[in-house]
């Protein structure tokens, strides 16, 4: 019967958000991990924005995401992730609600030199009950703080994975996404064992 052979079935597609504060490496991550040429909506940073755009540590940054990044990665024969990078600048946060529609999970990227820039993203996903992992992007290629210290300083509960990553490295970003998928599977298993009471 057509469609009964599992090897010919279309893969499941899952929408994932790549979020975090201004300049933490969201566009970089979507670009390095995507198997298609990523769609970007970058606009140049201008002199006029210097007062509001904190470029400390990312002085080389020349442009910013004004709407979204879009990419795709095949994790396995039956799982494809569609990645949506969010804009980081506060004046574009109003778009997060639309971008979050249908998202099953999120990666919150952190720059430990400016962790506070990602607090709003953590808060956003916690409030909506969207599962997320925290990925610490080591800008100078090193990670000065162990993950447990970062977890404590962000007051993250134990079930939120904290990972160290390099947003420029494909394998590193892939590992972060796989950790997120593992979390989604664990959450689904947990729901199966302890379904929430009907309202
Ligand atoms: N050295 C280093 N530079 C990085 C890394 N990740 C990103 N960058 C650089 O840091 C700057 C910011 O990266 P983006 O990917 O644009 O950050 P973003 O989070 O998409 O920024 P917005 O969309 O403006 O919020 C760029 O100049 C990147 O080339 C990293 O791991 N190491
Ligand atoms: Mg960006």
């Amino acid at each position: 019967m057509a469609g009964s052979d599992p090897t010919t079935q279309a893969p499941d597609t899952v929408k994932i958000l790549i979020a975090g504060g201004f300049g933490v490496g969201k566009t970089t991550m979507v670009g390095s991990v995507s198997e298609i040429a990523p769609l970007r909506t970058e606009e140049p940073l201008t002199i006029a924005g210097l007062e509001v755009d904190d470029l400390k540590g990312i002085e080389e940054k020349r442009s910013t995401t004004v709407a979204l990044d879009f990419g795709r990665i095949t994790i396995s024969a039956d799982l494809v992730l569609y990645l949506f990078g969010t804009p980081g600048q506060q004046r574009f946060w109003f778009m997060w609600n639309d971008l979050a529609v249908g998202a099953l999970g999120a990666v919150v990227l952190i720059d430990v030199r400016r962790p506070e820039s990602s607090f709003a993203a953590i808060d956003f996903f916690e409030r909506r009950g969207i599962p997320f992992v925290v990925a610490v992007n080591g800008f100078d290629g090193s990670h000065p703080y162990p993950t447990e210290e970062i977890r404590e300083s962000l007051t993250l509960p134990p079930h939120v994975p904290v990972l160290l990553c390099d947003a420029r490295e494909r394998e590193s970003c892939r590992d972060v996404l796989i950790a997120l998928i593992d979390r989604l599977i664990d959450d689904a298993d947990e729901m199966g064992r302890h379904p929430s009471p009907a309202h």
Side-chain angles (χ1 to χ4, degrees):
M1 197 175 71
S4 61
D5 177 356
T7 59
T8 62
Q9 280 175 3
D12 285 331
T13 56
V14 172
K15 177 179 178 181
I16 300 294
L17 295 190
I18 310 295
F22 172 60
V24 292
K26 302 176 293 294
T27 300
T28 305
M29 176 175 260
V30 174
S32 53
V33 83
S34 180
E35 63 206 8
I36 55 170
L39 169 81
R40 290 183 176 151
T41 58
E42 294 284 289
E43 291 294 338
L45 288 166
T46 60
I47 302 278
L50 278 180
E51 280 187 13
V52 274
D53 301 331
D54 180 7
L55 285 171
K56 199 157 160 282
I58 45 171
E59 290 82 2
E60 297 304 304
K61 191 167 165 59
R62 294 283 171 268
S63 62
T64 189
T65 304
V66 294
L68 77 160
D69 306 301
F70 176 72
R72 186 188 73 195
I73 175 171
T74 303
I75 296 288
S76 64
D78 52 11
L79 182 61
V80 171
L81 307 185
Y82 286 106
L83 306 176
F84 289 75
T86 61
Q89 284 180 303
Q90 196 164 0
R91 58 186 176 278
F92 299 124
W93 286 357
F94 68 91
M95 263 178 275
W96 291 8
N97 278 326
D98 286 345
L99 284 171
V101 174
L104 287 197
V107 173
V108 176
L109 271 174
I110 303 267
D111 176 349
V112 279
R113 301 166 304 181
R114 305 172 293 124
E116 65 289 348
S117 74
S118 291
F119 287 171
I122 291 174
D123 202 40
F124 179 88
F125 296 116
E126 275 179 344
R127 278 168 196 264
R128 284 162 183 77
I130 296 175
F132 63 95
V133 298
V134 166
V136 183
N137 188 16
F139 267 76
D140 54 3
S142 73
H143 287 283
Y145 306 104
T147 51
E148 279 318 304
E149 213 170 296
I150 295 167
R151 173 191 301 288
E152 265 174 44
S153 67
L154 297 173
T155 58
L156 292 169
H159 63 269
V160 175
V162 179
L163 303 117
L164 305 178
C165 79
D166 185 331
R168 301 162 300 176
E169 297 289 333
R170 179 167 207 272
E171 282 308 308
S172 174
C173 299
R174 199 169 185 278
D175 289 347
V176 169
L177 292 169
I178 288 171
L180 175 60
I181 299 301
D182 286 345
R183 164 143 197 223
L184 295 178
I185 292 169
D186 285 351
D187 282 6
D189 287 348
E190 191 63 25
M191 291 267 283
R193 277 194 297 273
H194 307 287
S196 6
H199 294 291

